Amino acid sequence: HTAPGSALATWAAMATGLRELHDKRRAGERLAALLPSLGEAAGAERLLPPAALPRVIHSVAEALGTRRELADLGFPHIVFKQALSASGRGQLRLLDEPEPTTAQRGWLERHAPGGLRVEPWLDRRLDLSLHFDAGPLGLTHRGLVRFEADRTGRFVGATVGSPTAGLDSDLQRFLTGDGHDGRWLDRLGRVLAQGLGAEVGAS
């Protein structure tokens, strides 16, 4: 039997850990720290440039400054995400507006002090989710799942079967390096497992 106080303490610790695990801000920081170190082994030249990777802002001034920086890099559309946002919720997109509207600025004023993840809002062609198993020896890449999302990023459904089946020729060429690198996604998953596994082991 477990004493009520002990059980509550255990649950509180688990809840804190789960919040950290799903925190968009922390995930963005880890991604930005990890991807530039992947190098040619993971085909990093096909990923976003380091300067465009997710970052965290804490004020309206930072938000607007980041927007200008990303626009200069060729990413005029951006999205801000709250820490525990998911499936298109808890987000603000700045697209073609020359300046934020009154409502958009108000949203930033309310949420920026707590920290917002900001990243380019891309013209998505394909959504893939990499899956890993965690064990005593670290992480193992288990494969890919192709999913569908609507124009706001809200989850719609997943594809059963091969995640790359039926893709148009442009996407097939990108994912396979024009036919010369058909294992790119698998290799990327394995390299990510190594990098993330080192962090998991250290935490």
Side-chain angles (χ1 to χ4, degrees), residues 36-66:
S37 67
L38 297 183
E40 294 182 5
E45 72 281 355
R46 281 183 262 181
L47 305 176
L48 280 175
L53 291 174
R55 64 185 82 175
V56 178
I57 59 92
H58 295 88
S59 70
V60 175
E62 278 189 281
L64 300 183
T66 299

PDB file of all heavy atoms in Angstrom, residues 36-66:
ATOM      1  N   PRO A  36      21.716  21.462 -35.744  1.00  0.00           N
ATOM      2  CA  PRO A  36      22.947  21.922 -36.398  1.00  0.00           C
ATOM      3  C   PRO A  36      24.123  20.973 -36.236  1.00  0.00           C
ATOM      4  O   PRO A  36      25.074  21.025 -37.019  1.00  0.00           O
ATOM      5  CB  PRO A  36      23.224  23.263 -35.703  1.00  0.00           C
ATOM      6  CG  PRO A  36      21.892  23.717 -35.203  1.00  0.00           C
ATOM      7  CD  PRO A  36      21.203  22.445 -34.782  1.00  0.00           C
ATOM      8  N   SER A  37      24.072  20.093 -35.242  1.00  0.00           N
ATOM      9  CA  SER A  37      25.191  19.186 -35.007  1.00  0.00           C
ATOM     10  C   SER A  37      25.055  17.883 -35.791  1.00  0.00           C
ATOM     11  O   SER A  37      25.958  17.045 -35.753  1.00  0.00           O
ATOM     12  CB  SER A  37      25.296  18.862 -33.514  1.00  0.00           C
ATOM     13  OG  SER A  37      24.167  18.109 -33.087  1.00  0.00           O
ATOM     14  N   LEU A  38      23.947  17.699 -36.506  1.00  0.00           N
ATOM     15  CA  LEU A  38      23.732  16.428 -37.185  1.00  0.00           C
ATOM     16  C   LEU A  38      24.657  16.246 -38.377  1.00  0.00           C
ATOM     17  O   LEU A  38      25.124  15.155 -38.648  1.00  0.00           O
ATOM     18  CB  LEU A  38      22.277  16.312 -37.639  1.00  0.00           C
ATOM     19  CG  LEU A  38      21.227  16.310 -36.530  1.00  0.00           C
ATOM     20  CD1 LEU A  38      19.844  16.128 -37.127  1.00  0.00           C
ATOM     21  CD2 LEU A  38      21.502  15.209 -35.513  1.00  0.00           C
ATOM     22  N   GLY A  39      24.867  17.334 -39.107  1.00  0.00           N
ATOM     23  CA  GLY A  39      25.811  17.286 -40.221  1.00  0.00           C
ATOM     24  C   GLY A  39      25.324  16.449 -41.393  1.00  0.00           C
ATOM     25  O   GLY A  39      24.147  16.129 -41.524  1.00  0.00           O
ATOM     26  N   GLU A  40      26.257  16.075 -42.231  1.00  0.00           N
ATOM     27  CA  GLU A  40      25.936  15.374 -43.468  1.00  0.00           C
ATOM     28  C   GLU A  40      25.327  13.999 -43.220  1.00  0.00           C
ATOM     29  O   GLU A  40      24.574  13.487 -44.051  1.00  0.00           O
ATOM     30  CB  GLU A  40      27.189  15.234 -44.330  1.00  0.00           C
ATOM     31  CG  GLU A  40      27.741  16.559 -44.838  1.00  0.00           C
ATOM     32  CD  GLU A  40      28.960  16.354 -45.727  1.00  0.00           C
ATOM     33  OE1 GLU A  40      29.290  15.188 -45.996  1.00  0.00           O
ATOM     34  OE2 GLU A  40      29.561  17.364 -46.124  1.00  0.00           O
ATOM     35  N   ALA A  41      25.645  13.391 -42.087  1.00  0.00           N
ATOM     36  CA  ALA A  41      25.135  12.045 -41.812  1.00  0.00           C
ATOM     37  C   ALA A  41      23.618  12.008 -41.845  1.00  0.00           C
ATOM     38  O   ALA A  41      23.014  11.011 -42.229  1.00  0.00           O
ATOM     39  CB  ALA A  41      25.640  11.555 -40.455  1.00  0.00           C
ATOM     40  N   ALA A  42      22.971  13.099 -41.439  1.00  0.00           N
ATOM     41  CA  ALA A  42      21.515  13.139 -41.409  1.00  0.00           C
ATOM     42  C   ALA A  42      20.936  13.929 -42.574  1.00  0.00           C
ATOM     43  O   ALA A  42      19.737  14.161 -42.626  1.00  0.00           O
ATOM     44  CB  ALA A  42      21.036  13.756 -40.093  1.00  0.00           C
ATOM     45  N   GLY A  43      21.764  14.346 -43.520  1.00  0.00           N
ATOM     46  CA  GLY A  43      21.250  15.135 -44.631  1.00  0.00           C
ATOM     47  C   GLY A  43      20.748  16.483 -44.165  1.00  0.00           C
ATOM     48  O   GLY A  43      19.700  16.962 -44.597  1.00  0.00           O
ATOM     49  N   ALA A  44      21.484  17.110 -43.264  1.00  0.00           N
ATOM     50  CA  ALA A  44      21.024  18.348 -42.643  1.00  0.00           C
ATOM     51  C   ALA A  44      20.804  19.470 -43.651  1.00  0.00           C
ATOM     52  O   ALA A  44      20.092  20.430 -43.361  1.00  0.00           O
ATOM     53  CB  ALA A  44      22.022  18.798 -41.568  1.00  0.00           C
ATOM     54  N   GLU A  45      21.411  19.352 -44.836  1.00  0.00           N
ATOM     55  CA  GLU A  45      21.223  20.416 -45.824  1.00  0.00           C
ATOM     56  C   GLU A  45      19.785  20.461 -46.322  1.00  0.00           C
ATOM     57  O   GLU A  45      19.363  21.447 -46.931  1.00  0.00           O
ATOM     58  CB  GLU A  45      22.190  20.217 -47.006  1.00  0.00           C
ATOM     59  CG  GLU A  45      21.846  19.060 -47.940  1.00  0.00           C
ATOM     60  CD  GLU A  45      22.269  17.710 -47.396  1.00  0.00           C
ATOM     61  OE1 GLU A  45      22.923  17.679 -46.326  1.00  0.00           O
ATOM     62  OE2 GLU A  45      21.944  16.689 -48.035  1.00  0.00           O
ATOM     63  N   ARG A  46      18.996  19.429 -46.054  1.00  0.00           N
ATOM     64  CA  ARG A  46      17.593  19.405 -46.467  1.00  0.00           C
ATOM     65  C   ARG A  46      16.660  19.895 -45.356  1.00  0.00           C
ATOM     66  O   ARG A  46      15.436  19.896 -45.536  1.00  0.00           O
ATOM     67  CB  ARG A  46      17.187  17.999 -46.887  1.00  0.00           C
ATOM     68  CG  ARG A  46      17.651  17.647 -48.290  1.00  0.00           C
ATOM     69  CD  ARG A  46      17.170  16.272 -48.700  1.00  0.00           C
ATOM     70  NE  ARG A  46      18.231  15.296 -48.493  1.00  0.00           N
ATOM     71  CZ  ARG A  46      18.107  13.994 -48.791  1.00  0.00           C
ATOM     72  NH1 ARG A  46      16.983  13.533 -49.286  1.00  0.00           N
ATOM     73  NH2 ARG A  46      19.111  13.168 -48.588  1.00  0.00           N
ATOM     74  N   LEU A  47      17.221  20.281 -44.232  1.00  0.00           N
ATOM     75  CA  LEU A  47      16.420  20.758 -43.111  1.00  0.00           C
ATOM     76  C   LEU A  47      16.458  22.282 -43.058  1.00  0.00           C
ATOM     77  O   LEU A  47      17.204  22.932 -43.785  1.00  0.00           O
ATOM     78  CB  LEU A  47      16.957  20.161 -41.811  1.00  0.00           C
ATOM     79  CG  LEU A  47      17.053  18.629 -41.794  1.00  0.00           C
ATOM     80  CD1 LEU A  47      17.701  18.154 -40.498  1.00  0.00           C
ATOM     81  CD2 LEU A  47      15.684  17.994 -41.967  1.00  0.00           C
ATOM     82  N   LEU A  48      15.651  22.861 -42.187  1.00  0.00           N
ATOM     83  CA  LEU A  48      15.655  24.310 -42.025  1.00  0.00           C
ATOM     84  C   LEU A  48      17.035  24.800 -41.602  1.00  0.00           C
ATOM     85  O   LEU A  48      17.720  24.123 -40.831  1.00  0.00           O
ATOM     86  CB  LEU A  48      14.638  24.728 -40.956  1.00  0.00           C
ATOM     87  CG  LEU A  48      13.170  24.801 -41.359  1.00  0.00           C
ATOM     88  CD1 LEU A  48      12.325  25.111 -40.126  1.00  0.00           C
ATOM     89  CD2 LEU A  48      12.914  25.839 -42.432  1.00  0.00           C
ATOM     90  N   PRO A  49      17.434  25.984 -42.066  1.00  0.00           N
ATOM     91  CA  PRO A  49      18.716  26.531 -41.596  1.00  0.00           C
ATOM     92  C   PRO A  49      18.641  26.831 -40.107  1.00  0.00           C
ATOM     93  O   PRO A  49      17.567  27.152 -39.578  1.00  0.00           O
ATOM     94  CB  PRO A  49      18.872  27.811 -42.418  1.00  0.00           C
ATOM     95  CG  PRO A  49      17.493  28.177 -42.839  1.00  0.00           C
ATOM     96  CD  PRO A  49      16.767  26.868 -43.027  1.00  0.00           C
ATOM     97  N   PRO A  50      19.763  26.728 -39.388  1.00  0.00           N
ATOM     98  CA  PRO A  50      19.747  26.950 -37.939  1.00  0.00           C
ATOM     99  C   PRO A  50      19.091  28.263 -37.519  1.00  0.00           C
ATOM    100  O   PRO A  50      18.393  28.308 -36.506  1.00  0.00           O
ATOM    101  CB  PRO A  50      21.242  26.914 -37.571  1.00  0.00           C
ATOM    102  CG  PRO A  50      21.853  26.026 -38.602  1.00  0.00           C
ATOM    103  CD  PRO A  50      21.103  26.299 -39.875  1.00  0.00           C
ATOM    104  N   ALA A  51      19.284  29.321 -38.305  1.00  0.00           N
ATOM    105  CA  ALA A  51      18.724  30.620 -37.926  1.00  0.00           C
ATOM    106  C   ALA A  51      17.204  30.636 -37.974  1.00  0.00           C
ATOM    107  O   ALA A  51      16.572  31.527 -37.398  1.00  0.00           O
ATOM    108  CB  ALA A  51      19.284  31.713 -38.836  1.00  0.00           C
ATOM    109  N   ALA A  52      16.599  29.671 -38.675  1.00  0.00           N
ATOM    110  CA  ALA A  52      15.145  29.634 -38.797  1.00  0.00           C
ATOM    111  C   ALA A  52      14.501  28.614 -37.877  1.00  0.00           C
ATOM    112  O   ALA A  52      13.275  28.441 -37.899  1.00  0.00           O
ATOM    113  CB  ALA A  52      14.754  29.340 -40.245  1.00  0.00           C
ATOM    114  N   LEU A  53      15.295  27.932 -37.057  1.00  0.00           N
ATOM    115  CA  LEU A  53      14.741  26.935 -36.154  1.00  0.00           C
ATOM    116  C   LEU A  53      13.960  27.602 -35.027  1.00  0.00           C
ATOM    117  O   LEU A  53      14.150  28.792 -34.745  1.00  0.00           O
ATOM    118  CB  LEU A  53      15.863  26.071 -35.587  1.00  0.00           C
ATOM    119  CG  LEU A  53      16.538  25.133 -36.598  1.00  0.00           C
ATOM    120  CD1 LEU A  53      17.721  24.428 -35.963  1.00  0.00           C
ATOM    121  CD2 LEU A  53      15.546  24.122 -37.139  1.00  0.00           C
ATOM    122  N   PRO A  54      13.065  26.865 -34.362  1.00  0.00           N
ATOM    123  CA  PRO A  54      12.241  27.458 -33.301  1.00  0.00           C
ATOM    124  C   PRO A  54      13.073  28.145 -32.228  1.00  0.00           C
ATOM    125  O   PRO A  54      14.153  27.682 -31.864  1.00  0.00           O
ATOM    126  CB  PRO A  54      11.491  26.253 -32.729  1.00  0.00           C
ATOM    127  CG  PRO A  54      11.448  25.272 -33.853  1.00  0.00           C
ATOM    128  CD  PRO A  54      12.742  25.449 -34.583  1.00  0.00           C
ATOM    129  N   ARG A  55      12.535  29.248 -31.740  1.00  0.00           N
ATOM    130  CA  ARG A  55      13.162  29.967 -30.631  1.00  0.00           C
ATOM    131  C   ARG A  55      12.060  30.446 -29.687  1.00  0.00           C
ATOM    132  O   ARG A  55      10.870  30.331 -30.000  1.00  0.00           O
ATOM    133  CB  ARG A  55      13.980  31.149 -31.149  1.00  0.00           C
ATOM    134  CG  ARG A  55      13.151  32.212 -31.842  1.00  0.00           C
ATOM    135  CD  ARG A  55      14.001  33.302 -32.459  1.00  0.00           C
ATOM    136  NE  ARG A  55      14.522  32.912 -33.772  1.00  0.00           N
ATOM    137  CZ  ARG A  55      15.219  33.747 -34.545  1.00  0.00           C
ATOM    138  NH1 ARG A  55      15.502  34.969 -34.117  1.00  0.00           N
ATOM    139  NH2 ARG A  55      15.629  33.371 -35.734  1.00  0.00           N
ATOM    140  N   VAL A  56      12.430  30.965 -28.540  1.00  0.00           N
ATOM    141  CA  VAL A  56      11.466  31.404 -27.532  1.00  0.00           C
ATOM    142  C   VAL A  56      11.575  32.908 -27.352  1.00  0.00           C
ATOM    143  O   VAL A  56      12.686  33.450 -27.241  1.00  0.00           O
ATOM    144  CB  VAL A  56      11.692  30.684 -26.185  1.00  0.00           C
ATOM    145  CG1 VAL A  56      10.711  31.190 -25.123  1.00  0.00           C
ATOM    146  CG2 VAL A  56      11.540  29.174 -26.362  1.00  0.00           C
ATOM    147  N   ILE A  57      10.418  33.574 -27.327  1.00  0.00           N
ATOM    148  CA  ILE A  57      10.381  35.027 -27.092  1.00  0.00           C
ATOM    149  C   ILE A  57       9.536  35.303 -25.846  1.00  0.00           C
ATOM    150  O   ILE A  57       8.700  34.476 -25.449  1.00  0.00           O
ATOM    151  CB  ILE A  57       9.848  35.788 -28.320  1.00  0.00           C
ATOM    152  CG1 ILE A  57       8.418  35.330 -28.687  1.00  0.00           C
ATOM    153  CG2 ILE A  57      10.774  35.583 -29.505  1.00  0.00           C
ATOM    154  CD1 ILE A  57       7.318  36.119 -28.065  1.00  0.00           C
ATOM    155  N   HIS A  58       9.771  36.494 -25.245  1.00  0.00           N
ATOM    156  CA  HIS A  58       9.071  36.831 -23.995  1.00  0.00           C
ATOM    157  C   HIS A  58       8.433  38.213 -24.012  1.00  0.00           C
ATOM    158  O   HIS A  58       8.016  38.708 -22.962  1.00  0.00           O
ATOM    159  CB  HIS A  58      10.040  36.739 -22.811  1.00  0.00           C
ATOM    160  CG  HIS A  58      10.540  35.352 -22.551  1.00  0.00           C
ATOM    161  ND1 HIS A  58      11.656  34.835 -23.174  1.00  0.00           N
ATOM    162  CD2 HIS A  58      10.052  34.352 -21.757  1.00  0.00           C
ATOM    163  CE1 HIS A  58      11.862  33.598 -22.752  1.00  0.00           C
ATOM    164  NE2 HIS A  58      10.906  33.278 -21.906  1.00  0.00           N
ATOM    165  N   SER A  59       8.365  38.856 -25.163  1.00  0.00           N
ATOM    166  CA  SER A  59       7.751  40.190 -25.221  1.00  0.00           C
ATOM    167  C   SER A  59       7.257  40.448 -26.634  1.00  0.00           C
ATOM    168  O   SER A  59       7.663  39.778 -27.596  1.00  0.00           O
ATOM    169  CB  SER A  59       8.773  41.266 -24.825  1.00  0.00           C
ATOM    170  OG  SER A  59       9.774  41.399 -25.832  1.00  0.00           O
ATOM    171  N   VAL A  60       6.393  41.451 -26.760  1.00  0.00           N
ATOM    172  CA  VAL A  60       5.889  41.840 -28.078  1.00  0.00           C
ATOM    173  C   VAL A  60       7.037  42.351 -28.939  1.00  0.00           C
ATOM    174  O   VAL A  60       7.118  42.063 -30.137  1.00  0.00           O
ATOM    175  CB  VAL A  60       4.781  42.902 -27.943  1.00  0.00           C
ATOM    176  CG1 VAL A  60       4.350  43.404 -29.320  1.00  0.00           C
ATOM    177  CG2 VAL A  60       3.586  42.335 -27.188  1.00  0.00           C
ATOM    178  N   ALA A  61       7.949  43.113 -28.330  1.00  0.00           N
ATOM    179  CA  ALA A  61       9.088  43.627 -29.091  1.00  0.00           C
ATOM    180  C   ALA A  61       9.929  42.490 -29.656  1.00  0.00           C
ATOM    181  O   ALA A  61      10.347  42.523 -30.818  1.00  0.00           O
ATOM    182  CB  ALA A  61       9.943  44.530 -28.202  1.00  0.00           C
ATOM    183  N   GLU A  62      10.182  41.457 -28.836  1.00  0.00           N
ATOM    184  CA  GLU A  62      10.925  40.293 -29.329  1.00  0.00           C
ATOM    185  C   GLU A  62      10.160  39.592 -30.435  1.00  0.00           C
ATOM    186  O   GLU A  62      10.746  39.126 -31.427  1.00  0.00           O
ATOM    187  CB  GLU A  62      11.171  39.303 -28.193  1.00  0.00           C
ATOM    188  CG  GLU A  62      12.354  39.612 -27.304  1.00  0.00           C
ATOM    189  CD  GLU A  62      12.622  38.448 -26.367  1.00  0.00           C
ATOM    190  OE1 GLU A  62      11.900  38.321 -25.351  1.00  0.00           O
ATOM    191  OE2 GLU A  62      13.532  37.653 -26.656  1.00  0.00           O
ATOM    192  N   ALA A  63       8.839  39.504 -30.274  1.00  0.00           N
ATOM    193  CA  ALA A  63       8.016  38.834 -31.283  1.00  0.00           C
ATOM    194  C   ALA A  63       8.131  39.528 -32.628  1.00  0.00           C
ATOM    195  O   ALA A  63       8.334  38.885 -33.666  1.00  0.00           O
ATOM    196  CB  ALA A  63       6.554  38.802 -30.821  1.00  0.00           C
ATOM    197  N   LEU A  64       8.022  40.842 -32.631  1.00  0.00           N
ATOM    198  CA  LEU A  64       8.075  41.581 -33.885  1.00  0.00           C
ATOM    199  C   LEU A  64       9.486  41.591 -34.464  1.00  0.00           C
ATOM    200  O   LEU A  64       9.664  41.538 -35.687  1.00  0.00           O
ATOM    201  CB  LEU A  64       7.564  43.005 -33.665  1.00  0.00           C
ATOM    202  CG  LEU A  64       6.113  43.113 -33.171  1.00  0.00           C
ATOM    203  CD1 LEU A  64       5.694  44.567 -33.047  1.00  0.00           C
ATOM    204  CD2 LEU A  64       5.170  42.359 -34.104  1.00  0.00           C
ATOM    205  N   GLY A  65      10.485  41.641 -33.599  1.00  0.00           N
ATOM    206  CA  GLY A  65      11.859  41.577 -34.077  1.00  0.00           C
ATOM    207  C   GLY A  65      12.159  40.232 -34.729  1.00  0.00           C
ATOM    208  O   GLY A  65      12.819  40.167 -35.775  1.00  0.00           O
ATOM    209  N   THR A  66      11.658  39.158 -34.119  1.00  0.00           N
ATOM    210  CA  THR A  66      11.852  37.831 -34.692  1.00  0.00           C
ATOM    211  C   THR A  66      11.140  37.713 -36.030  1.00  0.00           C
ATOM    212  O   THR A  66      11.651  37.102 -36.974  1.00  0.00           O
ATOM    213  CB  THR A  66      11.344  36.747 -33.720  1.00  0.00           C
ATOM    214  OG1 THR A  66      12.086  36.830 -32.502  1.00  0.00           O
ATOM    215  CG2 THR A  66      11.505  35.361 -34.313  1.00  0.00           C
TER     216      THR A  66
END
